[in-house]
Amino acid sequence: MSRDGRLGVGVIGAGRVGPVIGAALAGAGHAVVGITHGSDDDRVESVLPGAPFLDPPEVVRRAELVVLAVPHDELPGLVAGLAEVGAWQMGQLVVHTDPGYGLEVLVPAAGRGAIPLAIHPAITFTGTSMDLRRLTDAYAAVTAPAAVLPIAQALAVELGCEPVVVDDADRPAYAEGIATATEFSRSIVRQASGLLAAAGVENPRAFLSVIVHSAVDEALADPGEPADSSGP
């Protein structure tokens, strides 16, 4: 870490999450030193202009803070593989963004002296700069060893989020809650859109927009009082 607290940030994972996290940290004054290639490098370049594309070991070699934003099933093998080639460095911060994993998945990195952190911003990422605005209204689930928990919380704040501490043992339940909210919402909107389309309603998703948003807002404001859309 430099004297002013700014970090060299490396991002492994160029899907919807990684570039946005890198851009948010860059906006907080950190320097993005590299990101891995993805399926759409032009989109990554639009979110993180000028960031060099590197392979994962080189990203780790250059970075003081490594952000792992890869699919759930790929994370354990990635962490272990980088440990096998001796990539992790003593004192390096390693943060993953997966809601389901806690710190155990980072044990191979911690065994090489890296500092493990888990930070999950609770938004649905689009992979565009629009997500940077969404982060400022979001919470982030933070899990870290007690000695470095303030660092994880500070990074969440720098992303624009309000940090909420989730114990390591509670990460699976947390992930289930997030999945329930997102997948159930998508499923219900798809089902309702299909029913309205069958009823002859043009552009059913636009038709549903106000009622869905208002129903969700009411449920969040008063979860014990069911909403009524049937009229008086």
PDB file of all heavy atoms in Angstrom, residues 171-194:
ATOM      1  N   ARG A 171     -22.586 -17.073   5.454  1.00  0.00           N
ATOM      2  CA  ARG A 171     -22.570 -16.737   4.023  1.00  0.00           C
ATOM      3  C   ARG A 171     -23.517 -17.613   3.199  1.00  0.00           C
ATOM      4  O   ARG A 171     -24.201 -17.089   2.302  1.00  0.00           O
ATOM      5  CB  ARG A 171     -21.145 -16.832   3.476  1.00  0.00           C
ATOM      6  CG  ARG A 171     -20.164 -15.797   4.017  1.00  0.00           C
ATOM      7  CD  ARG A 171     -20.390 -14.402   3.522  1.00  0.00           C
ATOM      8  NE  ARG A 171     -20.083 -14.204   2.134  1.00  0.00           N
ATOM      9  CZ  ARG A 171     -19.744 -13.022   1.600  1.00  0.00           C
ATOM     10  NH1 ARG A 171     -19.648 -11.947   2.366  1.00  0.00           N
ATOM     11  NH2 ARG A 171     -19.521 -12.899   0.317  1.00  0.00           N
ATOM     12  N   PRO A 172     -23.626 -18.930   3.433  1.00  0.00           N
ATOM     13  CA  PRO A 172     -24.573 -19.714   2.627  1.00  0.00           C
ATOM     14  C   PRO A 172     -26.020 -19.236   2.778  1.00  0.00           C
ATOM     15  O   PRO A 172     -26.757 -19.156   1.783  1.00  0.00           O
ATOM     16  CB  PRO A 172     -24.390 -21.137   3.167  1.00  0.00           C
ATOM     17  CG  PRO A 172     -22.989 -21.168   3.682  1.00  0.00           C
ATOM     18  CD  PRO A 172     -22.778 -19.805   4.274  1.00  0.00           C
ATOM     19  N   ALA A 173     -26.436 -18.915   4.004  1.00  0.00           N
ATOM     20  CA  ALA A 173     -27.796 -18.416   4.209  1.00  0.00           C
ATOM     21  C   ALA A 173     -27.971 -17.057   3.529  1.00  0.00           C
ATOM     22  O   ALA A 173     -29.028 -16.774   2.941  1.00  0.00           O
ATOM     23  CB  ALA A 173     -28.094 -18.307   5.697  1.00  0.00           C
ATOM     24  N   TYR A 174     -26.950 -16.224   3.603  1.00  0.00           N
ATOM     25  CA  TYR A 174     -26.987 -14.927   2.923  1.00  0.00           C
ATOM     26  C   TYR A 174     -27.167 -15.125   1.419  1.00  0.00           C
ATOM     27  O   TYR A 174     -28.009 -14.473   0.784  1.00  0.00           O
ATOM     28  CB  TYR A 174     -25.709 -14.141   3.214  1.00  0.00           C
ATOM     29  CG  TYR A 174     -25.527 -12.948   2.318  1.00  0.00           C
ATOM     30  CD1 TYR A 174     -26.233 -11.768   2.555  1.00  0.00           C
ATOM     31  CD2 TYR A 174     -24.679 -13.009   1.217  1.00  0.00           C
ATOM     32  CE1 TYR A 174     -26.084 -10.670   1.720  1.00  0.00           C
ATOM     33  CE2 TYR A 174     -24.528 -11.919   0.371  1.00  0.00           C
ATOM     34  CZ  TYR A 174     -25.229 -10.754   0.620  1.00  0.00           C
ATOM     35  OH  TYR A 174     -25.095  -9.671  -0.219  1.00  0.00           O
ATOM     36  N   ALA A 175     -26.376 -16.032   0.846  1.00  0.00           N
ATOM     37  CA  ALA A 175     -26.456 -16.286  -0.592  1.00  0.00           C
ATOM     38  C   ALA A 175     -27.828 -16.793  -0.987  1.00  0.00           C
ATOM     39  O   ALA A 175     -28.367 -16.426  -2.047  1.00  0.00           O
ATOM     40  CB  ALA A 175     -25.381 -17.293  -1.005  1.00  0.00           C
ATOM     41  N   GLU A 176     -28.427 -17.629  -0.146  1.00  0.00           N
ATOM     42  CA  GLU A 176     -29.760 -18.146  -0.447  1.00  0.00           C
ATOM     43  C   GLU A 176     -30.787 -17.016  -0.452  1.00  0.00           C
ATOM     44  O   GLU A 176     -31.692 -16.982  -1.295  1.00  0.00           O
ATOM     45  CB  GLU A 176     -30.154 -19.217   0.561  1.00  0.00           C
ATOM     46  CG  GLU A 176     -31.493 -19.875   0.250  1.00  0.00           C
ATOM     47  CD  GLU A 176     -31.836 -21.000   1.212  1.00  0.00           C
ATOM     48  OE1 GLU A 176     -31.016 -21.294   2.119  1.00  0.00           O
ATOM     49  OE2 GLU A 176     -32.925 -21.585   1.055  1.00  0.00           O
ATOM     50  N   GLY A 177     -30.652 -16.091   0.493  1.00  0.00           N
ATOM     51  CA  GLY A 177     -31.558 -14.952   0.521  1.00  0.00           C
ATOM     52  C   GLY A 177     -31.444 -14.096  -0.726  1.00  0.00           C
ATOM     53  O   GLY A 177     -32.454 -13.668  -1.302  1.00  0.00           O
ATOM     54  N   ILE A 178     -30.210 -13.840  -1.169  1.00  0.00           N
ATOM     55  CA  ILE A 178     -29.988 -13.045  -2.376  1.00  0.00           C
ATOM     56  C   ILE A 178     -30.551 -13.768  -3.599  1.00  0.00           C
ATOM     57  O   ILE A 178     -31.227 -13.177  -4.446  1.00  0.00           O
ATOM     58  CB  ILE A 178     -28.487 -12.764  -2.559  1.00  0.00           C
ATOM     59  CG1 ILE A 178     -27.978 -11.852  -1.435  1.00  0.00           C
ATOM     60  CG2 ILE A 178     -28.211 -12.133  -3.926  1.00  0.00           C
ATOM     61  CD1 ILE A 178     -28.599 -10.475  -1.404  1.00  0.00           C
ATOM     62  N   ALA A 179     -30.286 -15.082  -3.691  1.00  0.00           N
ATOM     63  CA  ALA A 179     -30.774 -15.843  -4.838  1.00  0.00           C
ATOM     64  C   ALA A 179     -32.293 -15.892  -4.869  1.00  0.00           C
ATOM     65  O   ALA A 179     -32.913 -15.803  -5.938  1.00  0.00           O
ATOM     66  CB  ALA A 179     -30.199 -17.263  -4.805  1.00  0.00           C
ATOM     67  N   THR A 180     -32.910 -16.030  -3.700  1.00  0.00           N
ATOM     68  CA  THR A 180     -34.370 -16.064  -3.638  1.00  0.00           C
ATOM     69  C   THR A 180     -34.965 -14.762  -4.160  1.00  0.00           C
ATOM     70  O   THR A 180     -35.908 -14.763  -4.961  1.00  0.00           O
ATOM     71  CB  THR A 180     -34.841 -16.309  -2.197  1.00  0.00           C
ATOM     72  OG1 THR A 180     -34.354 -17.582  -1.754  1.00  0.00           O
ATOM     73  CG2 THR A 180     -36.352 -16.286  -2.094  1.00  0.00           C
ATOM     74  N   ALA A 181     -34.400 -13.653  -3.730  1.00  0.00           N
ATOM     75  CA  ALA A 181     -34.922 -12.350  -4.159  1.00  0.00           C
ATOM     76  C   ALA A 181     -34.767 -12.142  -5.655  1.00  0.00           C
ATOM     77  O   ALA A 181     -35.689 -11.686  -6.339  1.00  0.00           O
ATOM     78  CB  ALA A 181     -34.224 -11.235  -3.394  1.00  0.00           C
ATOM     79  N   THR A 182     -33.596 -12.475  -6.198  1.00  0.00           N
ATOM     80  CA  THR A 182     -33.337 -12.185  -7.603  1.00  0.00           C
ATOM     81  C   THR A 182     -34.037 -13.170  -8.533  1.00  0.00           C
ATOM     82  O   THR A 182     -34.720 -12.771  -9.479  1.00  0.00           O
ATOM     83  CB  THR A 182     -31.828 -12.181  -7.877  1.00  0.00           C
ATOM     84  OG1 THR A 182     -31.243 -13.417  -7.418  1.00  0.00           O
ATOM     85  CG2 THR A 182     -31.150 -11.029  -7.145  1.00  0.00           C
ATOM     86  N   GLU A 183     -33.874 -14.465  -8.263  1.00  0.00           N
ATOM     87  CA  GLU A 183     -34.444 -15.460  -9.169  1.00  0.00           C
ATOM     88  C   GLU A 183     -35.970 -15.470  -9.106  1.00  0.00           C
ATOM     89  O   GLU A 183     -36.647 -15.605 -10.132  1.00  0.00           O
ATOM     90  CB  GLU A 183     -33.894 -16.848  -8.849  1.00  0.00           C
ATOM     91  CG  GLU A 183     -32.389 -16.975  -9.088  1.00  0.00           C
ATOM     92  CD  GLU A 183     -31.996 -16.584 -10.499  1.00  0.00           C
ATOM     93  OE1 GLU A 183     -32.743 -16.918 -11.446  1.00  0.00           O
ATOM     94  OE2 GLU A 183     -30.951 -15.931 -10.666  1.00  0.00           O
ATOM     95  N   PHE A 184     -36.540 -15.322  -7.925  1.00  0.00           N
ATOM     96  CA  PHE A 184     -37.997 -15.315  -7.801  1.00  0.00           C
ATOM     97  C   PHE A 184     -38.574 -14.095  -8.520  1.00  0.00           C
ATOM     98  O   PHE A 184     -39.590 -14.196  -9.217  1.00  0.00           O
ATOM     99  CB  PHE A 184     -38.394 -15.309  -6.326  1.00  0.00           C
ATOM    100  CG  PHE A 184     -39.872 -15.416  -6.094  1.00  0.00           C
ATOM    101  CD1 PHE A 184     -40.537 -16.611  -6.299  1.00  0.00           C
ATOM    102  CD2 PHE A 184     -40.597 -14.310  -5.672  1.00  0.00           C
ATOM    103  CE1 PHE A 184     -41.908 -16.705  -6.093  1.00  0.00           C
ATOM    104  CE2 PHE A 184     -41.970 -14.401  -5.465  1.00  0.00           C
ATOM    105  CZ  PHE A 184     -42.627 -15.606  -5.675  1.00  0.00           C
ATOM    106  N   SER A 185     -37.911 -12.960  -8.373  1.00  0.00           N
ATOM    107  CA  SER A 185     -38.397 -11.752  -9.043  1.00  0.00           C
ATOM    108  C   SER A 185     -38.387 -11.924 -10.552  1.00  0.00           C
ATOM    109  O   SER A 185     -39.364 -11.583 -11.242  1.00  0.00           O
ATOM    110  CB  SER A 185     -37.540 -10.550  -8.644  1.00  0.00           C
ATOM    111  OG  SER A 185     -37.613 -10.297  -7.261  1.00  0.00           O
ATOM    112  N   ARG A 186     -37.290 -12.448 -11.081  1.00  0.00           N
ATOM    113  CA  ARG A 186     -37.212 -12.663 -12.529  1.00  0.00           C
ATOM    114  C   ARG A 186     -38.299 -13.631 -12.997  1.00  0.00           C
ATOM    115  O   ARG A 186     -38.944 -13.408 -14.019  1.00  0.00           O
ATOM    116  CB  ARG A 186     -35.834 -13.212 -12.904  1.00  0.00           C
ATOM    117  CG  ARG A 186     -34.679 -12.238 -12.740  1.00  0.00           C
ATOM    118  CD  ARG A 186     -33.426 -12.797 -13.389  1.00  0.00           C
ATOM    119  NE  ARG A 186     -32.271 -11.955 -13.160  1.00  0.00           N
ATOM    120  CZ  ARG A 186     -31.310 -12.229 -12.282  1.00  0.00           C
ATOM    121  NH1 ARG A 186     -31.371 -13.339 -11.558  1.00  0.00           N
ATOM    122  NH2 ARG A 186     -30.291 -11.415 -12.125  1.00  0.00           N
ATOM    123  N   SER A 187     -38.465 -14.720 -12.245  1.00  0.00           N
ATOM    124  CA  SER A 187     -39.441 -15.735 -12.643  1.00  0.00           C
ATOM    125  C   SER A 187     -40.854 -15.181 -12.663  1.00  0.00           C
ATOM    126  O   SER A 187     -41.638 -15.440 -13.597  1.00  0.00           O
ATOM    127  CB  SER A 187     -39.352 -16.927 -11.683  1.00  0.00           C
ATOM    128  OG  SER A 187     -40.322 -17.898 -11.979  1.00  0.00           O
ATOM    129  N   ILE A 188     -41.213 -14.418 -11.636  1.00  0.00           N
ATOM    130  CA  ILE A 188     -42.559 -13.858 -11.550  1.00  0.00           C
ATOM    131  C   ILE A 188     -42.817 -12.877 -12.680  1.00  0.00           C
ATOM    132  O   ILE A 188     -43.902 -12.877 -13.303  1.00  0.00           O
ATOM    133  CB  ILE A 188     -42.775 -13.186 -10.180  1.00  0.00           C
ATOM    134  CG1 ILE A 188     -42.843 -14.249  -9.081  1.00  0.00           C
ATOM    135  CG2 ILE A 188     -44.027 -12.324 -10.187  1.00  0.00           C
ATOM    136  CD1 ILE A 188     -43.989 -15.233  -9.238  1.00  0.00           C
ATOM    137  N   VAL A 189     -41.826 -12.028 -12.989  1.00  0.00           N
ATOM    138  CA  VAL A 189     -42.012 -11.053 -14.068  1.00  0.00           C
ATOM    139  C   VAL A 189     -42.169 -11.771 -15.407  1.00  0.00           C
ATOM    140  O   VAL A 189     -43.035 -11.409 -16.226  1.00  0.00           O
ATOM    141  CB  VAL A 189     -40.841 -10.056 -14.101  1.00  0.00           C
ATOM    142  CG1 VAL A 189     -40.878  -9.216 -15.385  1.00  0.00           C
ATOM    143  CG2 VAL A 189     -40.897  -9.139 -12.885  1.00  0.00           C
ATOM    144  N   ARG A 190     -41.360 -12.802 -15.640  1.00  0.00           N
ATOM    145  CA  ARG A 190     -41.502 -13.558 -16.893  1.00  0.00           C
ATOM    146  C   ARG A 190     -42.887 -14.198 -16.995  1.00  0.00           C
ATOM    147  O   ARG A 190     -43.538 -14.152 -18.047  1.00  0.00           O
ATOM    148  CB  ARG A 190     -40.424 -14.640 -16.968  1.00  0.00           C
ATOM    149  CG  ARG A 190     -38.998 -14.137 -17.132  1.00  0.00           C
ATOM    150  CD  ARG A 190     -38.062 -15.289 -17.452  1.00  0.00           C
ATOM    151  NE  ARG A 190     -36.667 -14.888 -17.373  1.00  0.00           N
ATOM    152  CZ  ARG A 190     -35.861 -15.214 -16.367  1.00  0.00           C
ATOM    153  NH1 ARG A 190     -36.316 -15.957 -15.361  1.00  0.00           N
ATOM    154  NH2 ARG A 190     -34.605 -14.815 -16.361  1.00  0.00           N
ATOM    155  N   GLN A 191     -43.337 -14.816 -15.899  1.00  0.00           N
ATOM    156  CA  GLN A 191     -44.634 -15.483 -15.914  1.00  0.00           C
ATOM    157  C   GLN A 191     -45.767 -14.485 -16.146  1.00  0.00           C
ATOM    158  O   GLN A 191     -46.671 -14.718 -16.964  1.00  0.00           O
ATOM    159  CB  GLN A 191     -44.856 -16.231 -14.603  1.00  0.00           C
ATOM    160  CG  GLN A 191     -46.171 -17.007 -14.550  1.00  0.00           C
ATOM    161  CD  GLN A 191     -46.338 -17.751 -13.230  1.00  0.00           C
ATOM    162  OE1 GLN A 191     -45.499 -17.660 -12.349  1.00  0.00           O
ATOM    163  NE2 GLN A 191     -47.436 -18.478 -13.102  1.00  0.00           N
ATOM    164  N   ALA A 192     -45.721 -13.379 -15.438  1.00  0.00           N
ATOM    165  CA  ALA A 192     -46.766 -12.364 -15.586  1.00  0.00           C
ATOM    166  C   ALA A 192     -46.755 -11.766 -16.987  1.00  0.00           C
ATOM    167  O   ALA A 192     -47.811 -11.515 -17.582  1.00  0.00           O
ATOM    168  CB  ALA A 192     -46.586 -11.272 -14.534  1.00  0.00           C
ATOM    169  N   SER A 193     -45.566 -11.546 -17.543  1.00  0.00           N
ATOM    170  CA  SER A 193     -45.469 -10.990 -18.894  1.00  0.00           C
ATOM    171  C   SER A 193     -46.088 -11.942 -19.909  1.00  0.00           C
ATOM    172  O   SER A 193     -46.789 -11.513 -20.837  1.00  0.00           O
ATOM    173  CB  SER A 193     -44.000 -10.735 -19.249  1.00  0.00           C
ATOM    174  OG  SER A 193     -43.431  -9.748 -18.418  1.00  0.00           O
ATOM    175  N   GLY A 194     -45.835 -13.233 -19.729  1.00  0.00           N
ATOM    176  CA  GLY A 194     -46.416 -14.209 -20.634  1.00  0.00           C
ATOM    177  C   GLY A 194     -47.929 -14.229 -20.568  1.00  0.00           C
ATOM    178  O   GLY A 194     -48.619 -14.325 -21.597  1.00  0.00           O
TER     179      GLY A 194
END
